[in-house]
Amino acid sequence: MMTAVHESVLDAIGGTPLFRLARLGAGIAAPIYAKAEFLNIGGSVKDRAALSMVLAAERDGLLKPGGTIVEATSGNTGIGLTIVGRQRGYRVIAGVSDKSAPEKSDILRAYGAEVVLATTAVPAEDPAHLFNVVQRLAEEIPGAWLANQYDNQANPDAHVRTTGPEIWEQTGGRVTHFVAGVGTGGTITGTGGYLKDTSGGTVTVIGADPESSMYGGGDGSPWYVESIGHFLHPGTVEDRWPKAYRADVVDVFERVPDRESLLTARRLAREEGILAGPSSGTAVAAALRVARGLGPDDLVVVLLPDSGRSYLSKVHSDAWMRQWGFLEEGDTLRHLLDGAGPLVAVEADATVGEALEALHGAPGGVAPVVLARAARPFGVSAAEVVGAVSREALAAALADGGAKPGDPLGPLLGPALPTVGVGQSPDEARAVLGEAHGAALVLVDGRGAGVLPRAALAHG
Ligand code: PMP
């Protein structure tokens, strides 16, 4: 095997190997090969887009010596832009969501970025939203350039020039199916588009999408796999898809529930020796689904965007998996949950009367209150819960004249219930409740499945 010598780390972007997924693909006629993007110098597929965007900005005169690169990114694009930017002599400012794990900011700082924290928990139009904060920085700092990966054509172009040709060459033109997740859409649009053009249209392109993401037809409600899918904040007025994404390149979407994605990422590590992130789990889960229907002359390539090292405290942690209801082993809350009856959830803009009516069916008498959203076919995500309310509190308020049935629920709303995962033990659930809480919201697959009152968790 030839070992490379590079004069710059920038030369170690792209040129990633394919690995046959022999164990996960056992019993499936079509071979499945994984494109190992975690082997890029910055650890992800986004190194390619970062290099391409910076070089294009220099070429177009948008980025000049002494300039500043600005981007809203908590993760891989930030790392890529920081490595490329610092190597080429620029200042780099990364806008990071205040919900992101602190390690993500730490790694950006380690590479030499300046980190600015802002919220993503408000509608996209809100001036406080991370995207708008970053936009303002780019306007105010002289010589600043906003990379804008979502709408930057140099993002998909990176994959037309590198990822697509690599896969074509590595498979000797035998690739028949290409599977990738869709975040900005750069990877699937560029790579998928190239493979289609070069094969004369015979390559099928499959988008691997979180079940509730809007790309594949979901309602845009939250999910747990990071960095892919299209989310819709309930308060957002106008929504549009990134310009880096071309819907016509994708032939079909496989809509993968969080649990299937996360469990597949864990299998990749244990069975194939590939420690990858959760979006790789989504992609491989989709590739397995597709490959099962194919024959020995087909060849599936699935792209693994990043390493699992950044998610040791999430998908690769048993405790985290149990806490969010993705893993159920041993002494769990399942038997208590099955006895708890269906979950009653109340919309945040309901009236007191409507809430009380809904609560008549609530076994525990307590309901989580969720942000208003028209349709929620996948259940209430823990991220959507804004508070809780009990039947007793509402009845008391009506009885003493503190509220009328037509009044808004808001002023009577209590804090959100603490959450426990169905995979946790009764002891762990009791510890979460402590002295302060009367009930817990039980999560299955990250979504509310029932309310367990303290009494149900009592010893004995
Ligand atoms: N997975 C991970 C881990 C990523 O960081 C990204 C980039 N947002 C993607 C998937 C999606 O790639 P793209 O933006 O090219 O659609």
Side-chain angles (χ1 to χ4, degrees), residues 150 181-185 209-210 212-218 223 228-231 240-242 245 253 255:
Y150 283 91
V182 188
T184 64
D209 210 34
S212 59
S213 155
M214 294 179 76
Y215 284 132
W223 60 90
I228 51 169
H230 191 83
F231 165 75
R240 65 172 185 84
W241 286 1
Y245 172 61
F253 274 102
R255 295 170 61 184

mmCIF file with all atom_site columns, all heavy atoms in Angstrom, residues 150 181-185 209-210 212-218 223 228-231 240-242 245 253 255:
data_model
loop_
_atom_site.group_PDB
_atom_site.id
_atom_site.type_symbol
_atom_site.label_atom_id
_atom_site.label_alt_id
_atom_site.label_comp_id
_atom_site.label_asym_id
_atom_site.label_entity_id
_atom_site.label_seq_id
_atom_site.pdbx_PDB_ins_code
_atom_site.Cartn_x
_atom_site.Cartn_y
_atom_site.Cartn_z
_atom_site.occupancy
_atom_site.B_iso_or_equiv
_atom_site.pdbx_formal_charge
_atom_site.auth_seq_id
_atom_site.auth_comp_id
_atom_site.auth_asym_id
_atom_site.auth_atom_id
_atom_site.pdbx_PDB_model_num
ATOM 1   N N   . TYR A 1 150 ? -25.408 26.718 2.722  1.00 0.00 ? 150 TYR A N   1
ATOM 2   C CA  . TYR A 1 150 ? -26.722 26.266 2.254  1.00 0.00 ? 150 TYR A CA  1
ATOM 3   C C   . TYR A 1 150 ? -27.044 26.742 0.840  1.00 0.00 ? 150 TYR A C   1
ATOM 4   O O   . TYR A 1 150 ? -27.769 26.077 0.102  1.00 0.00 ? 150 TYR A O   1
ATOM 5   C CB  . TYR A 1 150 ? -27.824 26.726 3.226  1.00 0.00 ? 150 TYR A CB  1
ATOM 6   C CG  . TYR A 1 150 ? -27.853 25.863 4.464  1.00 0.00 ? 150 TYR A CG  1
ATOM 7   C CD1 . TYR A 1 150 ? -27.117 26.205 5.589  1.00 0.00 ? 150 TYR A CD1 1
ATOM 8   C CD2 . TYR A 1 150 ? -28.578 24.679 4.483  1.00 0.00 ? 150 TYR A CD2 1
ATOM 9   C CE1 . TYR A 1 150 ? -27.110 25.396 6.715  1.00 0.00 ? 150 TYR A CE1 1
ATOM 10  C CE2 . TYR A 1 150 ? -28.588 23.861 5.602  1.00 0.00 ? 150 TYR A CE2 1
ATOM 11  C CZ  . TYR A 1 150 ? -27.852 24.223 6.703  1.00 0.00 ? 150 TYR A CZ  1
ATOM 12  O OH  . TYR A 1 150 ? -27.846 23.410 7.802  1.00 0.00 ? 150 TYR A OH  1
ATOM 13  N N   . GLY A 1 181 ? -27.260 11.103 3.098  1.00 0.00 ? 181 GLY A N   1
ATOM 14  C CA  . GLY A 1 181 ? -28.171 11.987 3.812  1.00 0.00 ? 181 GLY A CA  1
ATOM 15  C C   . GLY A 1 181 ? -28.171 13.366 3.166  1.00 0.00 ? 181 GLY A C   1
ATOM 16  O O   . GLY A 1 181 ? -27.298 13.682 2.358  1.00 0.00 ? 181 GLY A O   1
ATOM 17  N N   . VAL A 1 182 ? -29.155 14.180 3.548  1.00 0.00 ? 182 VAL A N   1
ATOM 18  C CA  . VAL A 1 182 ? -29.298 15.506 2.958  1.00 0.00 ? 182 VAL A CA  1
ATOM 19  C C   . VAL A 1 182 ? -29.351 16.553 4.064  1.00 0.00 ? 182 VAL A C   1
ATOM 20  O O   . VAL A 1 182 ? -30.319 16.616 4.824  1.00 0.00 ? 182 VAL A O   1
ATOM 21  C CB  . VAL A 1 182 ? -30.593 15.597 2.104  1.00 0.00 ? 182 VAL A CB  1
ATOM 22  C CG1 . VAL A 1 182 ? -30.620 16.910 1.331  1.00 0.00 ? 182 VAL A CG1 1
ATOM 23  C CG2 . VAL A 1 182 ? -30.717 14.412 1.166  1.00 0.00 ? 182 VAL A CG2 1
ATOM 24  N N   . GLY A 1 183 ? -28.283 17.351 4.170  1.00 0.00 ? 183 GLY A N   1
ATOM 25  C CA  . GLY A 1 183 ? -28.288 18.467 5.120  1.00 0.00 ? 183 GLY A CA  1
ATOM 26  C C   . GLY A 1 183 ? -28.463 19.731 4.309  1.00 0.00 ? 183 GLY A C   1
ATOM 27  O O   . GLY A 1 183 ? -29.569 20.194 4.060  1.00 0.00 ? 183 GLY A O   1
ATOM 28  N N   . THR A 1 184 ? -27.345 20.297 3.832  1.00 0.00 ? 184 THR A N   1
ATOM 29  C CA  . THR A 1 184 ? -27.438 21.389 2.860  1.00 0.00 ? 184 THR A CA  1
ATOM 30  C C   . THR A 1 184 ? -27.861 20.844 1.503  1.00 0.00 ? 184 THR A C   1
ATOM 31  O O   . THR A 1 184 ? -28.318 21.589 0.646  1.00 0.00 ? 184 THR A O   1
ATOM 32  C CB  . THR A 1 184 ? -26.070 22.077 2.673  1.00 0.00 ? 184 THR A CB  1
ATOM 33  O OG1 . THR A 1 184 ? -25.148 21.130 2.105  1.00 0.00 ? 184 THR A OG1 1
ATOM 34  C CG2 . THR A 1 184 ? -25.519 22.577 3.994  1.00 0.00 ? 184 THR A CG2 1
ATOM 35  N N   . GLY A 1 185 ? -27.643 19.550 1.300  1.00 0.00 ? 185 GLY A N   1
ATOM 36  C CA  . GLY A 1 185 ? -27.926 18.929 0.011  1.00 0.00 ? 185 GLY A CA  1
ATOM 37  C C   . GLY A 1 185 ? -26.715 18.910 -0.906 1.00 0.00 ? 185 GLY A C   1
ATOM 38  O O   . GLY A 1 185 ? -26.769 18.340 -2.000 1.00 0.00 ? 185 GLY A O   1
ATOM 39  N N   . ASP A 1 209 ? -33.240 10.007 4.872  1.00 0.00 ? 209 ASP A N   1
ATOM 40  C CA  . ASP A 1 209 ? -33.804 11.163 5.585  1.00 0.00 ? 209 ASP A CA  1
ATOM 41  C C   . ASP A 1 209 ? -34.426 10.754 6.907  1.00 0.00 ? 209 ASP A C   1
ATOM 42  O O   . ASP A 1 209 ? -35.071 9.707  6.991  1.00 0.00 ? 209 ASP A O   1
ATOM 43  C CB  . ASP A 1 209 ? -34.895 11.788 4.698  1.00 0.00 ? 209 ASP A CB  1
ATOM 44  C CG  . ASP A 1 209 ? -35.030 13.284 4.916  1.00 0.00 ? 209 ASP A CG  1
ATOM 45  O OD1 . ASP A 1 209 ? -34.007 13.942 5.189  1.00 0.00 ? 209 ASP A OD1 1
ATOM 46  O OD2 . ASP A 1 209 ? -36.160 13.786 4.797  1.00 0.00 ? 209 ASP A OD2 1
ATOM 47  N N   . PRO A 1 210 ? -34.230 11.564 7.957  1.00 0.00 ? 210 PRO A N   1
ATOM 48  C CA  . PRO A 1 210 ? -34.970 11.298 9.201  1.00 0.00 ? 210 PRO A CA  1
ATOM 49  C C   . PRO A 1 210 ? -36.475 11.281 8.905  1.00 0.00 ? 210 PRO A C   1
ATOM 50  O O   . PRO A 1 210 ? -36.946 12.046 8.055  1.00 0.00 ? 210 PRO A O   1
ATOM 51  C CB  . PRO A 1 210 ? -34.598 12.488 10.086 1.00 0.00 ? 210 PRO A CB  1
ATOM 52  C CG  . PRO A 1 210 ? -33.276 12.963 9.557  1.00 0.00 ? 210 PRO A CG  1
ATOM 53  C CD  . PRO A 1 210 ? -33.352 12.729 8.074  1.00 0.00 ? 210 PRO A CD  1
ATOM 54  N N   . SER A 1 212 ? -39.213 12.383 10.176 1.00 0.00 ? 212 SER A N   1
ATOM 55  C CA  . SER A 1 212 ? -40.076 13.563 10.203 1.00 0.00 ? 212 SER A CA  1
ATOM 56  C C   . SER A 1 212 ? -39.499 14.752 9.430  1.00 0.00 ? 212 SER A C   1
ATOM 57  O O   . SER A 1 212 ? -40.104 15.819 9.383  1.00 0.00 ? 212 SER A O   1
ATOM 58  C CB  . SER A 1 212 ? -40.384 13.963 11.656 1.00 0.00 ? 212 SER A CB  1
ATOM 59  O OG  . SER A 1 212 ? -39.184 14.252 12.360 1.00 0.00 ? 212 SER A OG  1
ATOM 60  N N   . SER A 1 213 ? -38.325 14.585 8.806  1.00 0.00 ? 213 SER A N   1
ATOM 61  C CA  . SER A 1 213 ? -37.743 15.665 7.997  1.00 0.00 ? 213 SER A CA  1
ATOM 62  C C   . SER A 1 213 ? -38.608 15.960 6.781  1.00 0.00 ? 213 SER A C   1
ATOM 63  O O   . SER A 1 213 ? -39.253 15.071 6.218  1.00 0.00 ? 213 SER A O   1
ATOM 64  C CB  . SER A 1 213 ? -36.340 15.258 7.549  1.00 0.00 ? 213 SER A CB  1
ATOM 65  O OG  . SER A 1 213 ? -35.971 15.941 6.360  1.00 0.00 ? 213 SER A OG  1
ATOM 66  N N   . MET A 1 214 ? -38.581 17.215 6.342  1.00 0.00 ? 214 MET A N   1
ATOM 67  C CA  . MET A 1 214 ? -39.436 17.607 5.222  1.00 0.00 ? 214 MET A CA  1
ATOM 68  C C   . MET A 1 214 ? -38.903 17.167 3.859  1.00 0.00 ? 214 MET A C   1
ATOM 69  O O   . MET A 1 214 ? -39.667 17.099 2.899  1.00 0.00 ? 214 MET A O   1
ATOM 70  C CB  . MET A 1 214 ? -39.625 19.112 5.224  1.00 0.00 ? 214 MET A CB  1
ATOM 71  C CG  . MET A 1 214 ? -40.410 19.588 6.438  1.00 0.00 ? 214 MET A CG  1
ATOM 72  S SD  . MET A 1 214 ? -40.613 21.345 6.448  1.00 0.00 ? 214 MET A SD  1
ATOM 73  C CE  . MET A 1 214 ? -41.897 21.513 5.204  1.00 0.00 ? 214 MET A CE  1
ATOM 74  N N   . TYR A 1 215 ? -37.604 16.895 3.749  1.00 0.00 ? 215 TYR A N   1
ATOM 75  C CA  . TYR A 1 215 ? -37.077 16.475 2.431  1.00 0.00 ? 215 TYR A CA  1
ATOM 76  C C   . TYR A 1 215 ? -37.824 15.245 1.928  1.00 0.00 ? 215 TYR A C   1
ATOM 77  O O   . TYR A 1 215 ? -38.214 15.153 0.777  1.00 0.00 ? 215 TYR A O   1
ATOM 78  C CB  . TYR A 1 215 ? -35.582 16.148 2.528  1.00 0.00 ? 215 TYR A CB  1
ATOM 79  C CG  . TYR A 1 215 ? -34.662 17.333 2.596  1.00 0.00 ? 215 TYR A CG  1
ATOM 80  C CD1 . TYR A 1 215 ? -33.650 17.389 3.551  1.00 0.00 ? 215 TYR A CD1 1
ATOM 81  C CD2 . TYR A 1 215 ? -34.766 18.382 1.687  1.00 0.00 ? 215 TYR A CD2 1
ATOM 82  C CE1 . TYR A 1 215 ? -32.770 18.460 3.609  1.00 0.00 ? 215 TYR A CE1 1
ATOM 83  C CE2 . TYR A 1 215 ? -33.901 19.458 1.733  1.00 0.00 ? 215 TYR A CE2 1
ATOM 84  C CZ  . TYR A 1 215 ? -32.896 19.494 2.695  1.00 0.00 ? 215 TYR A CZ  1
ATOM 85  O OH  . TYR A 1 215 ? -32.046 20.549 2.748  1.00 0.00 ? 215 TYR A OH  1
ATOM 86  N N   . GLY A 1 216 ? -38.005 14.276 2.805  1.00 0.00 ? 216 GLY A N   1
ATOM 87  C CA  . GLY A 1 216 ? -38.639 13.019 2.394  1.00 0.00 ? 216 GLY A CA  1
ATOM 88  C C   . GLY A 1 216 ? -40.148 13.023 2.565  1.00 0.00 ? 216 GLY A C   1
ATOM 89  O O   . GLY A 1 216 ? -40.796 11.997 2.372  1.00 0.00 ? 216 GLY A O   1
ATOM 90  N N   . GLY A 1 217 ? -40.719 14.168 2.969  1.00 0.00 ? 217 GLY A N   1
ATOM 91  C CA  . GLY A 1 217 ? -42.166 14.268 3.084  1.00 0.00 ? 217 GLY A CA  1
ATOM 92  C C   . GLY A 1 217 ? -42.690 14.301 4.508  1.00 0.00 ? 217 GLY A C   1
ATOM 93  O O   . GLY A 1 217 ? -43.887 14.202 4.733  1.00 0.00 ? 217 GLY A O   1
ATOM 94  N N   . GLY A 1 218 ? -41.811 14.459 5.489  1.00 0.00 ? 218 GLY A N   1
ATOM 95  C CA  . GLY A 1 218 ? -42.248 14.546 6.882  1.00 0.00 ? 218 GLY A CA  1
ATOM 96  C C   . GLY A 1 218 ? -42.790 15.927 7.223  1.00 0.00 ? 218 GLY A C   1
ATOM 97  O O   . GLY A 1 218 ? -42.767 16.845 6.391  1.00 0.00 ? 218 GLY A O   1
ATOM 98  N N   . TRP A 1 223 ? -36.201 15.794 15.273 1.00 0.00 ? 223 TRP A N   1
ATOM 99  C CA  . TRP A 1 223 ? -35.694 14.423 15.354 1.00 0.00 ? 223 TRP A CA  1
ATOM 100 C C   . TRP A 1 223 ? -34.324 14.481 16.006 1.00 0.00 ? 223 TRP A C   1
ATOM 101 O O   . TRP A 1 223 ? -33.848 15.575 16.350 1.00 0.00 ? 223 TRP A O   1
ATOM 102 C CB  . TRP A 1 223 ? -35.615 13.784 13.956 1.00 0.00 ? 223 TRP A CB  1
ATOM 103 C CG  . TRP A 1 223 ? -34.726 14.520 13.029 1.00 0.00 ? 223 TRP A CG  1
ATOM 104 C CD1 . TRP A 1 223 ? -33.393 14.333 12.830 1.00 0.00 ? 223 TRP A CD1 1
ATOM 105 C CD2 . TRP A 1 223 ? -35.100 15.613 12.180 1.00 0.00 ? 223 TRP A CD2 1
ATOM 106 N NE1 . TRP A 1 223 ? -32.916 15.233 11.917 1.00 0.00 ? 223 TRP A NE1 1
ATOM 107 C CE2 . TRP A 1 223 ? -33.938 16.040 11.505 1.00 0.00 ? 223 TRP A CE2 1
ATOM 108 C CE3 . TRP A 1 223 ? -36.304 16.293 11.927 1.00 0.00 ? 223 TRP A CE3 1
ATOM 109 C CZ2 . TRP A 1 223 ? -33.939 17.096 10.601 1.00 0.00 ? 223 TRP A CZ2 1
ATOM 110 C CZ3 . TRP A 1 223 ? -36.298 17.337 11.025 1.00 0.00 ? 223 TRP A CZ3 1
ATOM 111 C CH2 . TRP A 1 223 ? -35.133 17.737 10.374 1.00 0.00 ? 223 TRP A CH2 1
ATOM 112 N N   . ILE A 1 228 ? -28.589 16.302 9.396  1.00 0.00 ? 228 ILE A N   1
ATOM 113 C CA  . ILE A 1 228 ? -29.314 15.999 8.153  1.00 0.00 ? 228 ILE A CA  1
ATOM 114 C C   . ILE A 1 228 ? -30.798 16.296 8.345  1.00 0.00 ? 228 ILE A C   1
ATOM 115 O O   . ILE A 1 228 ? -31.285 16.413 9.467  1.00 0.00 ? 228 ILE A O   1
ATOM 116 C CB  . ILE A 1 228 ? -29.148 14.532 7.690  1.00 0.00 ? 228 ILE A CB  1
ATOM 117 C CG1 . ILE A 1 228 ? -29.449 13.552 8.835  1.00 0.00 ? 228 ILE A CG1 1
ATOM 118 C CG2 . ILE A 1 228 ? -27.766 14.300 7.110  1.00 0.00 ? 228 ILE A CG2 1
ATOM 119 C CD1 . ILE A 1 228 ? -29.573 12.101 8.370  1.00 0.00 ? 228 ILE A CD1 1
ATOM 120 N N   . GLY A 1 229 ? -31.501 16.379 7.217  1.00 0.00 ? 229 GLY A N   1
ATOM 121 C CA  . GLY A 1 229 ? -32.936 16.611 7.232  1.00 0.00 ? 229 GLY A CA  1
ATOM 122 C C   . GLY A 1 229 ? -33.269 18.094 7.188  1.00 0.00 ? 229 GLY A C   1
ATOM 123 O O   . GLY A 1 229 ? -32.393 18.950 7.318  1.00 0.00 ? 229 GLY A O   1
ATOM 124 N N   . HIS A 1 230 ? -34.548 18.383 6.963  1.00 0.00 ? 230 HIS A N   1
ATOM 125 C CA  . HIS A 1 230 ? -35.019 19.767 6.936  1.00 0.00 ? 230 HIS A CA  1
ATOM 126 C C   . HIS A 1 230 ? -36.091 19.927 8.007  1.00 0.00 ? 230 HIS A C   1
ATOM 127 O O   . HIS A 1 230 ? -37.150 19.309 7.944  1.00 0.00 ? 230 HIS A O   1
ATOM 128 C CB  . HIS A 1 230 ? -35.574 20.109 5.544  1.00 0.00 ? 230 HIS A CB  1
ATOM 129 C CG  . HIS A 1 230 ? -35.839 21.570 5.349  1.00 0.00 ? 230 HIS A CG  1
ATOM 130 N ND1 . HIS A 1 230 ? -34.851 22.458 4.987  1.00 0.00 ? 230 HIS A ND1 1
ATOM 131 C CD2 . HIS A 1 230 ? -36.961 22.299 5.495  1.00 0.00 ? 230 HIS A CD2 1
ATOM 132 C CE1 . HIS A 1 230 ? -35.360 23.673 4.897  1.00 0.00 ? 230 HIS A CE1 1
ATOM 133 N NE2 . HIS A 1 230 ? -36.647 23.603 5.210  1.00 0.00 ? 230 HIS A NE2 1
ATOM 134 N N   . PHE A 1 231 ? -35.761 20.777 8.999  1.00 0.00 ? 231 PHE A N   1
ATOM 135 C CA  . PHE A 1 231 ? -36.617 21.014 10.163 1.00 0.00 ? 231 PHE A CA  1
ATOM 136 C C   . PHE A 1 231 ? -37.438 22.271 9.932  1.00 0.00 ? 231 PHE A C   1
ATOM 137 O O   . PHE A 1 231 ? -36.979 23.193 9.264  1.00 0.00 ? 231 PHE A O   1
ATOM 138 C CB  . PHE A 1 231 ? -35.706 21.175 11.390 1.00 0.00 ? 231 PHE A CB  1
ATOM 139 C CG  . PHE A 1 231 ? -36.368 21.770 12.600 1.00 0.00 ? 231 PHE A CG  1
ATOM 140 C CD1 . PHE A 1 231 ? -37.236 21.018 13.365 1.00 0.00 ? 231 PHE A CD1 1
ATOM 141 C CD2 . PHE A 1 231 ? -36.110 23.077 12.975 1.00 0.00 ? 231 PHE A CD2 1
ATOM 142 C CE1 . PHE A 1 231 ? -37.852 21.563 14.496 1.00 0.00 ? 231 PHE A CE1 1
ATOM 143 C CE2 . PHE A 1 231 ? -36.722 23.630 14.110 1.00 0.00 ? 231 PHE A CE2 1
ATOM 144 C CZ  . PHE A 1 231 ? -37.584 22.871 14.865 1.00 0.00 ? 231 PHE A CZ  1
ATOM 145 N N   . ARG A 1 240 ? -37.880 27.888 2.937  1.00 0.00 ? 240 ARG A N   1
ATOM 146 C CA  . ARG A 1 240 ? -37.407 27.510 1.597  1.00 0.00 ? 240 ARG A CA  1
ATOM 147 C C   . ARG A 1 240 ? -36.277 26.503 1.734  1.00 0.00 ? 240 ARG A C   1
ATOM 148 O O   . ARG A 1 240 ? -35.655 26.403 2.785  1.00 0.00 ? 240 ARG A O   1
ATOM 149 C CB  . ARG A 1 240 ? -36.949 28.726 0.807  1.00 0.00 ? 240 ARG A CB  1
ATOM 150 C CG  . ARG A 1 240 ? -35.738 29.415 1.410  1.00 0.00 ? 240 ARG A CG  1
ATOM 151 C CD  . ARG A 1 240 ? -35.208 30.496 0.486  1.00 0.00 ? 240 ARG A CD  1
ATOM 152 N NE  . ARG A 1 240 ? -33.983 31.059 1.021  1.00 0.00 ? 240 ARG A NE  1
ATOM 153 C CZ  . ARG A 1 240 ? -32.785 30.529 0.837  1.00 0.00 ? 240 ARG A CZ  1
ATOM 154 N NH1 . ARG A 1 240 ? -32.649 29.421 0.124  1.00 0.00 ? 240 ARG A NH1 1
ATOM 155 N NH2 . ARG A 1 240 ? -31.708 31.079 1.368  1.00 0.00 ? 240 ARG A NH2 1
ATOM 156 N N   . TRP A 1 241 ? -36.042 25.771 0.668  1.00 0.00 ? 241 TRP A N   1
ATOM 157 C CA  . TRP A 1 241 ? -34.980 24.783 0.700  1.00 0.00 ? 241 TRP A CA  1
ATOM 158 C C   . TRP A 1 241 ? -33.662 25.401 0.249  1.00 0.00 ? 241 TRP A C   1
ATOM 159 O O   . TRP A 1 241 ? -33.658 26.363 -0.515 1.00 0.00 ? 241 TRP A O   1
ATOM 160 C CB  . TRP A 1 241 ? -35.357 23.585 -0.188 1.00 0.00 ? 241 TRP A CB  1
ATOM 161 C CG  . TRP A 1 241 ? -36.410 22.749 0.468  1.00 0.00 ? 241 TRP A CG  1
ATOM 162 C CD1 . TRP A 1 241 ? -36.993 23.012 1.678  1.00 0.00 ? 241 TRP A CD1 1
ATOM 163 C CD2 . TRP A 1 241 ? -36.999 21.556 -0.010 1.00 0.00 ? 241 TRP A CD2 1
ATOM 164 N NE1 . TRP A 1 241 ? -37.909 22.034 1.977  1.00 0.00 ? 241 TRP A NE1 1
ATOM 165 C CE2 . TRP A 1 241 ? -37.927 21.130 0.952  1.00 0.00 ? 241 TRP A CE2 1
ATOM 166 C CE3 . TRP A 1 241 ? -36.841 20.798 -1.151 1.00 0.00 ? 241 TRP A CE3 1
ATOM 167 C CZ2 . TRP A 1 241 ? -38.675 19.968 0.808  1.00 0.00 ? 241 TRP A CZ2 1
ATOM 168 C CZ3 . TRP A 1 241 ? -37.587 19.642 -1.302 1.00 0.00 ? 241 TRP A CZ3 1
ATOM 169 C CH2 . TRP A 1 241 ? -38.492 19.241 -0.332 1.00 0.00 ? 241 TRP A CH2 1
ATOM 170 N N   . PRO A 1 242 ? -32.537 24.831 0.718  1.00 0.00 ? 242 PRO A N   1
ATOM 171 C CA  . PRO A 1 242 ? -31.249 25.404 0.334  1.00 0.00 ? 242 PRO A CA  1
ATOM 172 C C   . PRO A 1 242 ? -31.017 25.331 -1.174 1.00 0.00 ? 242 PRO A C   1
ATOM 173 O O   . PRO A 1 242 ? -31.496 24.406 -1.833 1.00 0.00 ? 242 PRO A O   1
ATOM 174 C CB  . PRO A 1 242 ? -30.232 24.521 1.065  1.00 0.00 ? 242 PRO A CB  1
ATOM 175 C CG  . PRO A 1 242 ? -30.976 23.453 1.764  1.00 0.00 ? 242 PRO A CG  1
ATOM 176 C CD  . PRO A 1 242 ? -32.433 23.701 1.631  1.00 0.00 ? 242 PRO A CD  1
ATOM 177 N N   . TYR A 1 245 ? -29.237 22.329 -2.714 1.00 0.00 ? 245 TYR A N   1
ATOM 178 C CA  . TYR A 1 245 ? -30.002 21.087 -2.874 1.00 0.00 ? 245 TYR A CA  1
ATOM 179 C C   . TYR A 1 245 ? -30.853 21.142 -4.141 1.00 0.00 ? 245 TYR A C   1
ATOM 180 O O   . TYR A 1 245 ? -31.586 22.109 -4.358 1.00 0.00 ? 245 TYR A O   1
ATOM 181 C CB  . TYR A 1 245 ? -30.914 20.897 -1.661 1.00 0.00 ? 245 TYR A CB  1
ATOM 182 C CG  . TYR A 1 245 ? -31.900 19.765 -1.790 1.00 0.00 ? 245 TYR A CG  1
ATOM 183 C CD1 . TYR A 1 245 ? -31.458 18.465 -1.953 1.00 0.00 ? 245 TYR A CD1 1
ATOM 184 C CD2 . TYR A 1 245 ? -33.274 20.003 -1.737 1.00 0.00 ? 245 TYR A CD2 1
ATOM 185 C CE1 . TYR A 1 245 ? -32.361 17.422 -2.082 1.00 0.00 ? 245 TYR A CE1 1
ATOM 186 C CE2 . TYR A 1 245 ? -34.181 18.972 -1.852 1.00 0.00 ? 245 TYR A CE2 1
ATOM 187 C CZ  . TYR A 1 245 ? -33.724 17.682 -2.026 1.00 0.00 ? 245 TYR A CZ  1
ATOM 188 O OH  . TYR A 1 245 ? -34.617 16.661 -2.147 1.00 0.00 ? 245 TYR A OH  1
ATOM 189 N N   . PHE A 1 253 ? -36.615 8.721  -1.597 1.00 0.00 ? 253 PHE A N   1
ATOM 190 C CA  . PHE A 1 253 ? -36.190 8.918  -0.205 1.00 0.00 ? 253 PHE A CA  1
ATOM 191 C C   . PHE A 1 253 ? -36.515 7.683  0.612  1.00 0.00 ? 253 PHE A C   1
ATOM 192 O O   . PHE A 1 253 ? -37.596 7.114  0.480  1.00 0.00 ? 253 PHE A O   1
ATOM 193 C CB  . PHE A 1 253 ? -36.904 10.125 0.418  1.00 0.00 ? 253 PHE A CB  1
ATOM 194 C CG  . PHE A 1 253 ? -36.218 11.421 0.146  1.00 0.00 ? 253 PHE A CG  1
ATOM 195 C CD1 . PHE A 1 253 ? -36.699 12.279 -0.838 1.00 0.00 ? 253 PHE A CD1 1
ATOM 196 C CD2 . PHE A 1 253 ? -35.085 11.785 0.840  1.00 0.00 ? 253 PHE A CD2 1
ATOM 197 C CE1 . PHE A 1 253 ? -36.052 13.477 -1.102 1.00 0.00 ? 253 PHE A CE1 1
ATOM 198 C CE2 . PHE A 1 253 ? -34.430 12.977 0.584  1.00 0.00 ? 253 PHE A CE2 1
ATOM 199 C CZ  . PHE A 1 253 ? -34.920 13.817 -0.391 1.00 0.00 ? 253 PHE A CZ  1
ATOM 200 N N   . ARG A 1 255 ? -37.153 6.972  4.371  1.00 0.00 ? 255 ARG A N   1
ATOM 201 C CA  . ARG A 1 255 ? -37.406 7.735  5.600  1.00 0.00 ? 255 ARG A CA  1
ATOM 202 C C   . ARG A 1 255 ? -37.123 6.836  6.799  1.00 0.00 ? 255 ARG A C   1
ATOM 203 O O   . ARG A 1 255 ? -37.823 5.866  7.038  1.00 0.00 ? 255 ARG A O   1
ATOM 204 C CB  . ARG A 1 255 ? -38.835 8.257  5.584  1.00 0.00 ? 255 ARG A CB  1
ATOM 205 C CG  . ARG A 1 255 ? -39.004 9.259  4.439  1.00 0.00 ? 255 ARG A CG  1
ATOM 206 C CD  . ARG A 1 255 ? -40.436 9.627  4.214  1.00 0.00 ? 255 ARG A CD  1
ATOM 207 N NE  . ARG A 1 255 ? -41.013 10.260 5.384  1.00 0.00 ? 255 ARG A NE  1
ATOM 208 C CZ  . ARG A 1 255 ? -42.296 10.603 5.466  1.00 0.00 ? 255 ARG A CZ  1
ATOM 209 N NH1 . ARG A 1 255 ? -43.101 10.375 4.452  1.00 0.00 ? 255 ARG A NH1 1
ATOM 210 N NH2 . ARG A 1 255 ? -42.750 11.162 6.556  1.00 0.00 ? 255 ARG A NH2 1
#
